[in-house]
């Protein structure tokens, strides 16, 4: 049986339109979670401090940073509390 490496397997999976769409959606959630976490750390804030500034529960910050889907309104509040603006692009 021939072996296939991960990159080859993943490239093949991406050819499936349904898999590709799901990957794009999950990547967007991961990218936003990472951006928020990095900005919070750069600002020297704990999750609690950021939640107080954003006016959202600390559990919301934790959920967002764990890559759970959240509303754009919540992400906008978090961005504002970090002194950042939110930018959405479609590529």
């Amino acid at each position: 049986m021939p072996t296939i490496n991960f990159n080859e397997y993943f490239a093949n999976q991406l050819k499936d339109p349904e898999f590709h769409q799901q990957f794009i959606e999950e990547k967007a959630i991961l990218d936003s979670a990472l951006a928020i976490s990095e900005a919070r750390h750069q600002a020297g804030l704990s999750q609690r401090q950021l939640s107080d500034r954003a006016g959202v529960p600390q559990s919301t910050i934790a959920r967002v940073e764990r890559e759970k889907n959240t509303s754009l309104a919540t992400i906008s509040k978090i961005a504002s509390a970090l002194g950042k603006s939110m930018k959405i692009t479609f590529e």
Side-chain angles (χ1 to χ4, degrees):
M1 176 177 223
T3 59
I4 184 169
N5 70 35
F6 175 78
N7 290 336
E8 291 171 348
Y9 174 78
F10 187 65
N12 285 332
Q13 290 297 103
L14 283 175
K15 293 176 185 175
D16 176 343
E18 190 174 317
F19 179 90
H20 187 261
Q21 183 60 37
Q22 186 65 36
F23 173 77
I24 297 290
E25 291 170 13
E26 291 298 321
K27 185 178 180 314
I29 293 168
L30 176 61
D31 288 346
S32 64
L34 185 59
I36 288 169
S37 180
E38 286 178 351
R40 180 177 65 78
H41 286 285
Q42 287 176 352
L45 299 173
S46 68
Q47 287 183 347
R48 171 70 61 205
Q49 291 168 318
L50 179 55
S51 72
D52 290 344
R53 287 185 182 189
V56 300
Q58 182 273 329
S59 60
T60 297
I61 303 299
R63 188 180 73 241
V64 169
E65 289 185 359
R66 281 192 323 266
E67 305 153 26
K68 302 300 180 191
N69 202 355
T70 192
S71 71
L72 290 177
T74 298
I75 293 175
S76 181
K77 287 179 187 179
I78 294 169
S80 180
L82 288 166
K84 307 281 186 185
S85 62
M86 187 171 74
K87 178 181 176 181
I88 299 172
T89 62
F90 295 93
E91 299 176 10

